[in-house]
Amino acid sequence: MIPNQQNIKSEIKLDASLDFIFETVELGVLIENLNRQVEFANTLFCKLFQISLTPQELKSSSFLDNASVFSLNFEDPIRFEKSIIETPQSQSIVRNEKWKLQNGKTVLRDYIPIFNGNDLTGHIWLYREYKPIAKIQPTENFGSIIEKALNQLPSEIAIFNVHQQFVYANKAYVNSNEKRLWAIGKTLVQYFSYANLPVQTALYRVENINNCIVQKKAISWEELNISLAKNKQYYLRTCYPVFGEDGQVESVIEQSIDISQQRKLELELKAATEHFFSTLDSVNDIVIQTDGELKLQFINKAWENISGQRLEVYQGKSIFDVLSITRYELYGKIFAILSGEAKEKTGLLLLKGKDGKEKQLQYNLQSSFNVDTNKQGILATLTDITKQQLQETQLLELVKREKELNELKTAFVNMVSHELRTPLTVISSSAEILDLMLMAGKGHDEVSIYTKQIIDEVEKMTAFMQDLLMVSKIEAGKIEMNPKEIDVVNFLSKIINNGFNPWKDGRKTELIVKRNPKNVAIDDSMLQHTIQNLLQNAFKYSSGKDNVKVRVAFSNSHYTISIIDDGIGIPANEIEKLFTSFFRATNTGNISGTGIGLIVAKYFTEQHKGFISVKSRINKGSIFTIKLPYKQ
Ligand code: ADP
């Protein structure tokens, strides 16, 4: 209901202090009573509309009377006059009405009706110059340092109001002045359609701006732009909320930073890292890296290749789980490295290989800086030296063998020269004596002693030659086994009776048979050669002593033949050297021999899957035993 203007007395009373306040605000203030008389106008009001009267002079004048003159300030005076009559009729607040002035400026007007209880008592008009944030719209002559600075920044900067309309955009965001002017007050989607840019991108930005407003916090996201030249440009975009005094978001600043270079470097680093790790996977050495807590961070494929253990097994494990060194030793070495006392530590360790065989690895421990944890960890490299070690052992073996061969050669030359020189000397001196005796006309009986000596020595040399021949045949692998079933006891008796019962010096050979004799399959010539050699030795090295014994014993799986004498024996420290070529014990004195017999005996026994052994005590005697299985 519109109150009757005549009957209502003005209730508006402004005291001096209110006057003062209205003078300090940056508003043009005009207060009317119900009769539309000016109750109050401040200086800014007069200034805003270039009124020649002072605020005091204006007071009490009829505003409606003045309105026709006053309206001339406005671009559309008629509309203005109409509005100041019609606006109060609504009796409600009208805010932010935009009025363009003749001088090009724009003013915003608020109308506030004054009520005393339910009764309307007056009108307040507030005018303020319209200075939208868009006032900082970029124009060529806009001199603001900030604006210039913002325009020179390579990063895109824009300000949006809560309706997500552009309030400001710098050059990087919208590059042409024309487009920028157009964009102000428009939404991102509108601008993107106008500028022919992908609307999808605008929608995503809008969503983030909205999130920033709703969540009242900065929101960041990454945007990938692919240019026409197919270059990938990565941007980190962030929306920052700008809060008003009421704590609500007033506007949003959106900023973008070109992180393409950083991205490129990241990708390069990633590629380099991947390349590094794949290179590490192709090396033969095991490479292990730990973090500061000595937890495994990386093991290369070589670990799988050598140990056969899958790498997944070691997830979350520590270096102590992979290096088979005692904790004590490993701790010591790691501590020395991490404390800077030592640059590196090395050592050897054993690792069960995937073929089940033990591998020998040489390890090297060094410190390695871990960028992720910012701590020093351990870098361990392990080299499989099993082959190398084997080669070294083989090489050492070869050198040793070479040395042995040399020694053997010397021993052989010594032995041969001795074994041949003695009979040759005997033969030569016997022949000289024979010659003299024959010249002196001596008869057969007198010379026969020398002819026999010559025959004996020739026989010795022949036997020696045969032994040598046997060894060369053995070495050439030219001796074949021809087993046939024989009666062992009968076989031994025959050998004994053929030259050993009695021996040349009259001593005898006793045959002792233990348990039940069995027939066995053997190569009789090989075994005969072996037994004969052992018997010859027994007699040869026990001259002047008791008879020689041959004992044969039959047990369930095998049988043994032992040749027992009580002769000179063999020094204890030389027993292990028996059965090597041309070896002769140091106590043999002038008992002749070649050091060949036992090698042949050993070889023949082994051909029968048997085993030859010796028990001997110096000056007490020796027992040579061959142990042979029934089953070959
Ligand atoms: P040799 O022709 O020297 O007898 P063998 O190979 O038959 O060659 O024997 C090697 C060495 O073993 C002999 O030189 C001797 O030192 C020692 N030996 C072998 N049999 C006996 C034994 N019955 N008593 C003491 N020493 C023996």
Side-chain angles (χ1 to χ4, degrees):
M1 192 184 121
I2 303 165
N4 185 330
Q5 294 189 356
Q6 263 75 40
N7 300 337
I8 301 168
K9 240 185 106 204
S10 170
E11 296 274 342
I12 302 170
K13 286 205 169 55
L14 291 165
D15 60 25
S17 61
L18 277 176
D19 267 23
F20 172 75
I21 290 171
F22 281 130
E23 282 302 341
T24 56
V25 293
E26 275 195 39
L27 291 167
V29 184
L30 181 84
I31 303 174
E32 296 172 84
N33 61 24
L34 260 188
N35 300 324
R36 311 286 318 246
Q37 283 173 323
V38 176
E39 283 286 340
F40 172 81
N42 68 354
T43 315
L44 195 66
F45 179 85
C46 297
K47 215 175 129 193
L48 207 56
F49 300 107
Q50 294 159 344
I51 298 166
S52 50
L53 302 173
T54 64
Q56 279 70 31
E57 286 165 345
L58 207 59
K59 207 166 169 177
S60 301
S61 65
S62 162
F63 180 60
L64 288 179
D65 289 348
N66 289 324
S68 51
V69 184
F70 185 53
S71 65
L72 293 176
N73 279 300
F74 292 85
E75 200 179 62
D76 187 349
I78 296 166
R79 193 168 75 87
F80 177 74
E81 266 187 74
K82 206 172 155 224
S83 85
I84 61 168
I85 294 164
E86 285 172 1
T87 306
Q89 286 170 3
S90 70
Q91 294 193 12
S92 50
I93 297 171
V94 179
R95 286 205 189 274
N96 292 333
E97 265 190 328
K98 248 187 222 175
W99 289 97
K100 283 200 169 165
L101 302 184
Q102 286 285 0
N103 62 6
K105 285 184 182 172
T106 303
V107 288
L108 287 178
R109 186 181 72 185
D110 289 348
Y111 165 75
I112 306 161
I114 310 168
F115 284 98
N116 187 359
N118 283 331
D119 300 331
L120 183 75
T121 58
H123 315 282
I124 301 177
W125 302 91
L126 304 173
Y127 290 89
R128 60 187 181 282
E129 205 174 324
Y130 178 55
K131 286 182 190 163
I133 306 179
K135 198 73 185 146
I136 55 166
Q137 273 178 18
T139 60
E140 281 314 310
N141 40 16
F142 187 76
S144 151
I145 294 171
I146 294 171
E147 209 252 336
K148 263 191 194 166
L150 288 179
N151 273 344
Q152 280 173 25
L153 280 182
S155 82
E156 295 180 10
I157 296 169
I159 303 171
F160 296 93
N161 62 21
V162 285
H163 307 296
Q164 305 197 356
Q165 293 159 327
F166 273 103
V167 175
Y168 170 76
N170 75 344
K171 258 190 183 165
Y173 208 112
V174 179
N175 56 8
S176 88
N177 281 348
E178 184 201 341
K179 279 184 192 164
R180 244 176 303 149
L181 283 170
W182 185 92
I184 301 307
K186 308 284 187 329
T187 65
L188 256 172
V189 176
Q190 285 170 326
Y191 164 67
F192 266 59
S193 326
Y194 164 75
N196 221 2
L197 294 166
V199 175
Q200 200 57 36
T201 309
L203 287 172
Y204 196 70
R205 287 188 197 173
V206 166
E207 195 184 316
N208 285 308
I209 296 169
N210 198 38
N211 285 342
C212 172
I213 295 168
V214 175
Q215 295 171 22
K216 296 184 176 177
K217 62 170 193 187
I219 303 278
S220 290
W221 72 100
E222 254 181 47
E223 205 174 272
L224 167 66
N225 293 345
I226 300 173
S227 71
L228 286 176
K230 301 263 185 244
N231 287 333
K232 284 184 177 175
Q233 294 287 112
Y234 292 90
Y235 293 95
L236 176 70
R237 307 191 77 89
T238 309
C239 282
Y240 301 96
V242 179
F243 297 101
E245 276 172 12
D246 57 358
Q248 293 303 312
V249 176
E250 260 183 358
S251 55
V252 172
I253 301 173
E254 193 207 353
Q255 183 206 12
S256 85
I257 302 168
D258 186 347
I259 53 165
S260 308
Q261 193 60 20
Q262 182 187 334
R263 246 310 129 83
K264 202 176 145 218
L265 289 175
E266 272 173 20
L267 290 172
E268 277 173 11
L269 186 70
K270 198 169 160 243
T273 313
E274 273 167 13
H275 178 71
F276 173 68
F277 282 123
S278 70
T279 310
L280 276 186
D281 269 344
S282 62
V283 298
N284 293 332
D285 286 356
I286 296 173
V287 181
I288 300 168
Q289 196 183 17
T290 78
D291 61 12
E293 272 76 50
L294 303 177
K295 287 247 161 356
L296 301 179
Q297 280 205 313
F298 172 78
I299 312 186
N300 66 344
K301 271 256 181 254
W303 174 267
E304 243 179 45
N305 299 340
I306 294 175
S307 74
Q309 302 268 14
R310 295 190 53 77
L311 291 179
E312 292 86 64
V313 178
Y314 295 93
Q315 201 95 39
K317 299 260 169 98
S318 87
I319 193 164
F320 297 103
D321 299 312
V322 284
L323 299 192
S324 51
I325 317 167
T326 62
R327 262 178 187 252
Y328 175 76
E329 188 188 342
L330 190 53
Y331 258 128
K333 291 190 170 176
I334 288 175
F335 182 76
I337 291 164
L338 294 182
S339 66
E341 185 195 301
K343 254 193 151 185
E344 59 176 353
K345 285 275 173 185
T346 53
L348 294 175
L349 60 83
L350 293 173
L351 178 76
K352 200 169 171 196
K354 61 177 169 189
D355 52 2
K357 286 184 192 155
E358 207 150 65
K359 298 217 172 270
Q360 191 159 28
L361 302 178
Q362 183 166 41
Y363 64 85
N364 175 291
L365 305 173
Q366 285 183 29
S367 82
S368 80
F369 186 73
N370 191 305
V371 188
D372 291 342
T373 58
N374 210 21
K375 276 187 182 166
Q376 293 288 346
I378 289 290
L379 179 75
T381 46
L382 284 78
T383 314
D384 185 354
I385 54 161
T386 320
K387 254 193 196 158
Q388 187 186 326
Q389 208 74 345
L390 193 78
Q391 280 168 354
E392 267 173 35
T393 330
Q394 282 171 345
L395 201 72
L396 278 176
E397 198 64 39
L398 262 168
V399 173
K400 199 176 147 210
R401 182 116 185 82
E402 179 74 21
K403 201 174 153 231
E404 277 172 5
L405 273 171
N406 266 333
E407 283 170 5
L408 216 63
K409 210 171 93 188
T410 316
F412 178 74
V413 171
N414 285 343
M415 181 270 294
V416 170
S417 57
H418 180 262
E419 284 306 300
L420 291 183
R421 202 173 51 222
T422 317
L424 283 175
T425 314
V426 175
I427 290 168
S428 132
S429 57
S430 298
E432 276 174 25
I433 294 166
L434 260 178
D435 192 36
L436 288 172
M437 289 181 92
L438 286 174
M439 278 204 300
K442 299 283 179 188
H444 174 263
D445 289 349
E446 284 165 296
V447 297
S448 67
I449 179 170
Y450 297 102
T451 50
K452 192 176 175 301
Q453 254 177 16
I454 290 173
I455 291 165
D456 279 356
E457 292 307 319
V458 170
E459 264 177 17
K460 268 188 201 166
M461 281 171 67
T462 312
F464 169 61
M465 288 302 181
Q466 273 171 350
D467 275 354
L468 272 186
L469 234 115
M470 185 70 80
V471 173
S472 73
K473 269 189 187 170
I474 289 172
E475 279 180 352
K478 280 185 183 163
I479 296 188
E480 276 182 23
M481 275 267 287
N482 283 316
K484 58 181 177 202
E485 202 163 290
I486 55 149
D487 173 344
V488 182
V489 178
N490 188 29
F491 168 74
L492 289 174
S493 302
K494 271 191 190 162
I495 298 173
I496 292 166
N497 292 330
N498 191 15
F500 299 98
N501 208 15
W503 175 245
K504 295 171 199 164
D505 61 3
R507 284 185 294 154
K508 293 194 169 172
T509 304
E510 298 169 24
L511 178 64
I512 307 155
V513 180
K514 295 242 168 173
R515 290 191 285 274
N516 302 326
K518 284 182 187 175
N519 284 359
V520 292
I522 52 155
D523 181 315
D524 57 351
S525 70
M526 280 193 191
L527 204 60
Q528 182 184 338
H529 191 99
T530 306
I531 304 292
Q532 276 175 341
N533 184 268
L534 294 176
L535 272 170
Q536 275 163 7
N537 281 352
F539 279 108
K540 196 164 73 175
Y541 297 110
S542 67
S543 177
K545 300 280 178 173
D546 223 348
N547 286 339
V548 168
K549 295 179 187 75
V550 175
R551 188 178 61 197
V552 56
F554 297 89
S555 69
N556 289 340
S557 57
H558 61 268
Y559 60 103
T560 54
I561 304 167
S562 303
I563 287 86
I564 306 156
D565 69 68
D566 52 1
I568 62 167
I570 301 152
N573 60 342
E574 291 178 10
I575 286 184
E576 64 171 30
K577 289 184 197 158
L578 291 178
F579 310 108
T580 58
S581 302
F582 316 121
F583 176 77
R584 303 206 66 219
T586 45
N587 62 337
T588 49
N590 51 17
I591 307 169
S592 75
T594 58
I596 293 173
L598 286 185
I599 314 167
V600 179
K602 183 173 184 259
Y603 177 78
F604 284 166
T605 310
E606 283 170 356
Q607 289 296 300
H608 285 85
K609 296 201 165 57
F611 181 71
I612 185 162
S613 62
V614 59
K615 273 186 186 169
S616 184
R617 276 178 71 194
I618 196 117
N619 294 328
K620 291 273 180 219
S622 308
I623 306 173
F624 281 83
T625 304
I626 55 171
K627 183 177 170 182
L628 296 158
Y630 294 122
K631 278 189 186 157
Q632 296 294 315

